[in-house]
């Protein structure tokens, strides 16, 4: 692989570029002879269809001058902007520099707006229609791919519009979830409850906890096995927000409430991750998102 950072390449490319431009100018000059007064119409000698001949007239002046102007423009451009090998151009312009200055300008305009909202508590921000719009736009940019455009989630991705929370739904906890991310981990539990038929029996017990369809005999046999689960899901199966362990007694399911899905959780465990957004978005945007998410199940109109 050639080393394209070698200065020789830069010089080579610069020379090719300059020679091409100069050659264009020379070619145009060569072709730009004026028609002498009284000169006959010149043809190239090519004739088609008997009488259709190709003329060899001088280039129109306006076209020629336009062409010279573009060549001058190219040279001026190559002096001012990067383009000639690795020469950076006398203006020092870079794509990165332009991007950064645009971001800076936008931030300077928007930061005071964020600061204003940062000074307000979450219910106040959630009640502000403009803040809600901003929060919604942020949500549509950063959160929809997992939680859905209506924030109702899908299998494995929690619904954020109900009042059922894995980790907790007060403003501080929601902020924590968004800024630092969450990892919900349930280890495979089949061995801990004796494997075999026990898995199905404990699963029927879990379904009974929420009043879902279940086999009462198997559920009864699974009652003791559930002791292995209470450390995380609580003695009554109501979950533990400190671990992100879901409440198993409601009918809100992260992975569906089918017997197969419950057995799958027990057999294989679950590992589920919400990525952290604090560093990417900064306090101002996290605050708006917190208010937006909180508002979905609190003051904001339900959708
Ligand atoms: C890559 C997928 C993904 C993206 C993107 C994502 N989330 Fe999540 N989010 C998850 C998962 C998965 C969980 C559940 C974690 C668990 O099981 O403990 C979660 C959990 C949450 C929770 C906690 C819910 C509860 O019940 O306690 C909140 C709040 C949340 N997300 C908000 C957001 C917001 C706001 C955004 C956009 C900035 C976002 N999420 C972007 C996947 C995602
Ligand atoms: C070490 C803690 C821990 C133990 C022990 C544990 N779980 Fe879990 N369980 C979790 C966590 C955390 C989740 C959520 C995983 C996620 O975020 O995806 C979960 C999820 C589940 C789910 C999915 C719930 C839904 O809404 O879809 C079921 C069902 C379940 N557990 C049943 C059990 C049963 C039955 C046992 C005992 C055999 C058990 N768990 C033991 C922590 C635990």
């Amino acid at each position: 692989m050639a080393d394209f950072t070698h200065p020789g390449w830069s010089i080579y490319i610069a020379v090719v570029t300059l020679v091409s431009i100069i050659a264009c100018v020379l070619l145009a000059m060569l072709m730009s002879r004026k028609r002498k007064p009284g000169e006959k119409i010149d043809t190239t000698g090519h004739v088609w269809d008997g009488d259709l001949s190709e003329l060899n007239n001088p280039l129109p002046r306006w076209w020629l001058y336009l062409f010279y102007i573009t060549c001058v423009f190219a040279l001026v451009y190559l002096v001012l902007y990067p383009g000639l090998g690795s020469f950076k151009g006398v203006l020092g312009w870079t794509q990165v520099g332009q991007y950064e200055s645009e971001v800076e300008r936008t931030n300077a305009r928007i930061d005071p707006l964020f600061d204003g909202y940062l000074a307000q508590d979450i219910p106040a921000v959630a009640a502000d229609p403009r803040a809600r719009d901003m929060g919604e736009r942020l949500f549509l940019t950063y959160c929809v791919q997992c939680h859905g455009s209506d924030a109702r989630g899908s299998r494995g991705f929690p619904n954020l519009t109900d009042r059922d929370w894995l980790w907790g739904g007060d403003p501080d906890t929601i902020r924590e979830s968004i800024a630092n991310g969450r990892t919900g981990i349930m280890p495979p539990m089949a061995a801990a409850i004796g494997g075999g038929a026990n898995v199905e029996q404990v699963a029927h017990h879990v379904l009974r906890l929420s009043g879902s369809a279940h086999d009462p005999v198997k559920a009864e046999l699974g009652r003791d096995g559930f002791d292995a689960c209470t450390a995380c899901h609580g003695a009554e199966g109501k979950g533990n927000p400190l671990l992100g362990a879901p409440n198993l007694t409601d009918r809100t399911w992260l992975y569906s409430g089918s017997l197969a899905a419950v057995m799958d959780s027990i057999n294989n465990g679950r590992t589920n991750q919400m990525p952290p957004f604090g560093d990417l978005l900064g306090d101002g945007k996290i605050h708006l998102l917190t208010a937006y998410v909180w508002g979905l199940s609190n003051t904001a109109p339900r959708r």
Side-chain angles (χ1 to χ4, degrees), residues 166 184-187 189 193 202 206 225-226 228-229 231-233 243-248 252-256 261-262 265-266 270-272:
L166 293 166
I185 298 176
M186 163 159 163
M189 292 297 292
I193 56 173
V202 172
V206 168
F226 192 74
C229 322
C232 297
H233 290 283
L243 302 168
N247 182 347
L248 302 174
T252 307
W253 299 97
L254 192 52
Y255 299 101
S256 112
V262 173
S265 293
I266 300 173
R270 299 281 187 191
T271 302
N272 208 19

Side-chain angles (χ1 to χ4, degrees), residues 138-139 141-147 156-160 162 164-169 173-175 177-178 182-185 243-245 254-255 271-275 277 281 286 289-290 292-293:
L138 287 168
F139 191 87
T141 307
Y142 296 105
C143 321
V144 279
Q145 63 273 47
C146 293
H147 293 286
F157 301 108
N159 183 340
L160 302 176
D162 55 15
D164 190 67
W165 298 94
L166 293 166
W167 300 92
T173 312
I174 294 176
R175 184 198 318 275
S177 293
I178 303 171
R182 298 288 191 187
T183 308
I185 298 176
L243 302 168
L254 192 52
Y255 299 101
T271 302
N272 208 19
Q273 201 163 15
M274 153 84 193
F277 282 89
L281 299 180
I286 297 287
L289 277 167
T290 303
Y292 178 72
V293 170

